[in-house]
Amino acid sequence: MRLATWNINSIRTRVDRVLAFLEREDVDVLAMQEIKCKPEQFPREALEAAGYELAVHGLNQWNGVAIASRVGLADVEVGFPGQPTWSSKEGVEPVVEARALGATVGGLPGPDGAVSDPVRLWSLYVPNGRELTHPHYAYKLEWLRVLRDDVAGWLAAEPAQSLALVGDWNVAPRDEDVWDMSVFEGATHVSVPEREAFAAFEGAGLTEVTRDRVTNYTYWDYQKLRFPRNEGMRIDFVYGSAAFEGRVRGAAIDRNERKGKGASDHVPVIVDVD
């Protein structure tokens, strides 16, 4: 089974690139973030015609997550238990944002007839945090804490499950995950509390499965010629349980997807599992 995760930064704008990527890389399951649309606005017909089932969660023109699978899609879950809420404006009732979507993928034959054991997959778009003194930063840390505690509970109840948490984590866990640490002094994504929150998933029983298999950035800002200068960040990751990590046979970061007209500012991260 070939899994990929991609912050697509508007599926309606980039559906043609998604379809081309799925075909070119022979992807079985794609987790998407920042789809930026409601379910009824999602270009469902195009992906279904390519052979993919869909689970889509979006509330407005911001955020949004989705999963596309051609090897089975079941037990869809919108949001994780206790997911923190957020309000963008004072006096507006906080809501659970469209940032987390779970589904069980696998169990059905792929195009080659092979059947993969199921994987419990979560497509995640972790809050940005904005600034260290901003309420969004506290929201981000709480969001990660609650998710980490949920993961620990899931694995305590079912230690042998193949669980994968994939997506845009909005954390650069190591200094080498940004092009110049001095640029990020006093900024989010690299602060100690964020890095500790990211590392806490290891204590819950997960392993980041791409780190030792591939090296590259996964995000380049549109501004200041960041991509031509290779001034990027590595903030898209795949965290897996022991059962999932044991099935991983390779990983890749498709840097070429940042090239050309109409590219997302993120690129796909790909994992091959038995």
Side-chain angles (χ1 to χ4, degrees), residues 207-225:
T207 300
E208 205 294 306
V209 304
T210 70
R211 172 73 67 182
D212 294 335
R213 293 178 169 92
V214 62
T215 300
N216 211 330
Y217 300 135
T218 64
Y219 164 86
W220 295 261
D221 196 297
Y222 290 127
Q223 307 297 319
K224 300 180 181 179
L225 298 175

Side-chain angles (χ1 to χ4, degrees), residues 116-139:
S116 295
D117 288 339
V119 171
R120 187 61 181 169
L121 181 71
W122 281 88
S123 179
L124 303 173
Y125 178 42
V126 176
N128 177 280
R130 301 181 184 175
E131 300 171 356
L132 298 184
T133 57
H134 197 284
H136 208 259
Y137 179 75
Y139 165 58

Side-chain angles (χ1 to χ4, degrees), residues 161-255:
Q161 69 174 297
S162 285
L163 173 68
L165 276 62
V166 310
D168 178 0
W169 291 77
N170 268 317
V171 178
R174 300 183 184 178
D175 288 357
E176 62 263 32
D177 294 332
V178 298
W179 80 91
D180 185 348
M181 275 296 295
S182 67
V183 175
F184 290 84
E185 185 177 354
T188 59
H189 291 62
V190 300
S191 70
V192 171
E194 289 167 289
R195 287 179 167 181
E196 289 178 344
F198 184 88
F201 285 85
E202 295 181 10
L206 301 183
T207 300
E208 205 294 306
V209 304
T210 70
R211 172 73 67 182
D212 294 335
R213 293 178 169 92
V214 62
T215 300
N216 211 330
Y217 300 135
T218 64
Y219 164 86
W220 295 261
D221 196 297
Y222 290 127
Q223 307 297 319
K224 300 180 181 179
L225 298 175
R226 294 297 190 205
F227 183 65
R229 294 173 176 170
N230 199 31
E231 295 175 348
M233 303 174 69
R234 187 173 188 169
I235 56 177
D236 301 83
F237 296 98
V238 176
Y239 251 131
S241 64
F244 179 84
E245 199 278 336
R247 296 170 59 185
V248 175
R249 293 296 173 261
I253 295 172
D254 191 352
R255 187 181 186 277

Side-chain angles (χ1 to χ4, degrees), residues 78-135:
V78 173
F80 51 87
Q83 183 175 328
T85 59
W86 172 256
S87 175
S88 59
K89 297 180 180 179
E90 188 175 348
V92 176
E93 186 71 21
V95 299
V96 176
E97 295 185 300
R99 293 182 175 274
L101 182 68
T104 299
V105 299
L108 293 180
D112 61 356
V115 179
S116 295
D117 288 339
V119 171
R120 187 61 181 169
L121 181 71
W122 281 88
S123 179
L124 303 173
Y125 178 42
V126 176
N128 177 280
R130 301 181 184 175
E131 300 171 356
L132 298 184
T133 57
H134 197 284

Side-chain angles (χ1 to χ4, degrees), residues 20 29 37 39 41 70 140 147 180 192 216 245 254:
V29 181
C37 67
Q41 297 170 316
R70 64 180 185 184
K140 177 181 189 175
L147 177 59
D180 185 348
V192 171
N216 211 330
E245 199 278 336
D254 191 352

